[in-house]
Amino acid sequence: MEPATESRSYSPGLEGVLAGETAIALVDGKNGRLTYRGYPIGELVRHGSYADVAELLWTGEWGPGARLACASLSPPVLAALRNLPDGANAMDALRSAVSAWGAAERPGWPPSAEQARALTAMTPTALAGYARLQQGLEPIEPDPDLPLAAGFLYQLTGELPDEADARALDAYLIVAAEHSFNASTFAARVITSTKSDLASAVCGAIGALKGPLHGGAPTEVASQLLQIGSPERAEAWMRGALDRGERLMGFGHRVYRAYDPRAAALREVAEGMANAADWLKLAVAVEDVALRLLAERHPDRGLKTNVEYYTAAVLQGVGLPPAIFPATFAMARHAGWTAHCIEQASANRLIRPDVRYVGPAERSLPGVGATA
Ligand code: ACO
């Protein structure tokens, strides 16, 4: 039997395919605009906190002054972190912590804002705990009086963080909190659509974000700037990289053809950070050269600075080790992922697309066929 002729069009990577509806965020790549529930990202960074923004994503309501502190780890989560095999990275740790949290808490369906708050408050403690265990140090109990970003920094070092650093990290968490139907968010929605629980959806999302095409760039931006070393070396270094067919990290985006509004917001934050000053000077000089060279080579492509570029400066400036940059991104994205799970559940339909079959026509096993 021949497969039925398939006339519907297929878009590899689902590029350009409308795969759902959302009221959470709008990414306007052509004009370089990003809004959460209609509010521009720059305004949210200037006037809100991560807790305010997370509440906005979960509930749709803007209520400045929201509180979200890091939560203690339950024994199963702590045990999961202590029992990780050697060589497990920070994303493995976060995924394992969320999995253990789900097994212990058993969040029911549908996912709720309350579940989202509890999970989002747990992950910074888990990530800081993992980072300390890696250094042979004991995890630190969270301080319930500190907001999430400050609490995370405190649990990494055991010292109360500088206010400007905490504010800068908070700004990063805001810009990284949500970005519509990217791969990890879509993965979370697919899992939620089966009526699986919130922890399972977030484990799937962390798995998707772990891939280097999605969440790995800030570490590479940091290494690129380290290799360039000084503004005078930027042009020769980058021309060499482009001649070898390599990509300049922190530039280009699948959706944005204009300057990524998150990069603009983070650059503003980095400019206010004393600890990021040297990095920032180098980053700004290198960015100018990169944009000029990319415009020369791809004049029609609109290759501009993306969010990962200034992420590297901010995260480096607040003293985070590059090895936990991707997991810090995952920690921030908890607000967006869980908001999407809530939204998916509120008008749920199992996500199950079709596929075009391109294998052999139906046939019999060798020696078993009708002609035998
Ligand atoms: N440096 C040099 N050239 C680039 C870059 C770059 N950063 N980005 C795209 N190009 C070139 C490609 O080589 C390609 O050229 P060609 O047509 O001559 O082959 C052309 O632009 C189009 O490239 P695509 O891969 O089709 O562009 P796409 O929009 O799909 O890529 C991506 C987006 C993957 C982000 C890409 O720009 C890239 O690899 N950037 C560097 C890595 C990076 O910064 N990633 C972080 C993205 S932001 C985020 O994940 C939150």
Side-chain angles (χ1 to χ4, degrees):
M1 189 175 40
E2 290 298 323
T5 310
E6 177 56 81
S7 58
R8 288 172 296 175
S9 67
Y10 158 56
S11 174
L14 299 186
E15 197 169 352
V17 172
L18 285 179
E21 289 186 327
T22 184
I24 300 174
L26 174 69
V27 180
D28 174 359
K30 193 161 151 262
N31 297 306
R33 308 276 304 155
L34 169 65
T35 58
Y36 294 169
R37 304 268 186 199
Y39 300 118
I41 192 70
E43 281 185 25
L44 292 169
V45 168
R46 265 176 246 122
H47 303 291
S49 68
Y50 181 68
D52 298 335
V53 166
E55 288 295 333
L56 173 70
L57 296 173
W58 293 324
T59 66
E61 303 296 326
W62 178 245
R67 286 177 55 82
L68 186 66
C70 298
S72 293
L73 301 181
S74 62
V77 177
L78 201 51
L81 292 175
R82 289 192 193 282
N83 291 330
L84 284 167
D86 287 348
N89 69 24
M91 291 294 272
D92 296 324
L94 212 53
R95 196 190 54 233
S96 303
V98 173
S99 182
W101 180 87
E105 299 294 323
R106 302 187 194 187
W109 205 91
S112 64
E114 198 183 328
Q115 293 172 5
R117 280 181 205 110
L119 181 54
T120 305
M122 185 280 292
T123 47
T125 308
L127 179 54
Y130 158 82
R132 288 184 68 85
L133 288 168
Q134 285 293 101
Q135 300 168 62
L137 301 168
E138 274 303 294
I140 291 175
E141 265 301 299
D143 179 338
D145 293 330
L146 292 176
L148 206 85
F152 174 59
L153 291 173
Y154 165 67
Q155 288 178 102
L156 278 172
T157 62
E159 285 166 23
L160 278 180
D162 176 73
E163 216 169 285
D165 282 357
R167 178 69 200 131
L169 181 63
D170 194 69
Y172 167 70
L173 298 183
I174 293 172
V175 305
E178 158 60 6
H179 210 235
S180 192
F181 262 48
N182 51 77
S184 58
T185 300
F186 190 57
R189 288 189 76 127
V190 170
I191 294 168
T192 299
S193 84
T194 70
K195 293 203 171 180
S196 186
D197 62 278
L198 189 72
S200 301
V202 170
C203 282
I206 293 172
L209 192 68
K210 190 175 179 220
L213 291 188
H214 193 4
T219 315
E220 297 188 47
V221 171
S223 125
Q224 176 179 278
L225 287 176
L226 260 178
Q227 288 174 52
I228 293 173
S230 67
E232 313 75 63
R233 284 168 41 87
E235 177 140 3
W237 191 96
M238 286 191 284
R239 277 198 190 280
L242 291 171
D243 289 346
R244 290 190 297 277
E246 293 168 11
R247 297 194 171 197
L248 302 182
M249 291 295 137
F251 298 91
H253 194 272
R254 175 59 65 81
V255 180
Y256 291 117
R257 294 286 168 255
Y259 202 99
D260 185 332
R262 300 168 299 171
L266 279 186
R267 180 174 165 164
E268 212 174 294
V269 169
E271 280 164 356
M273 289 173 73
N275 294 343
D278 289 345
W279 264 89
L280 190 65
K281 229 165 101 195
L282 177 62
V284 168
V286 168
E287 180 188 28
D288 287 345
V289 180
L291 290 175
R292 177 162 51 78
L293 297 185
L294 288 171
E296 247 173 46
R297 305 232 173 178
H298 300 279
D300 304 323
R301 185 74 195 174
L303 292 176
K304 299 280 193 273
T305 315
N306 67 43
V307 64
E308 309 294 18
Y309 193 75
Y310 284 105
T311 293
V314 169
L315 297 188
Q316 192 96 11
V318 302
L320 298 194
I324 68 164
F325 286 1
T328 308
F329 179 12
M331 178 182 116
R333 190 51 67 84
H334 269 58
W337 287 333
T338 50
H340 276 272
C341 294
I342 295 167
E343 185 180 65
Q344 175 66 35
S346 70
N348 193 46
R349 175 132 179 100
L350 177 71
I351 298 175
R352 202 304 185 189
D354 280 348
V355 67
R356 179 184 290 158
Y357 178 69
V358 295
E362 186 172 332
R363 52 189 172 159
S364 287
L365 288 168
V368 181
T371 53

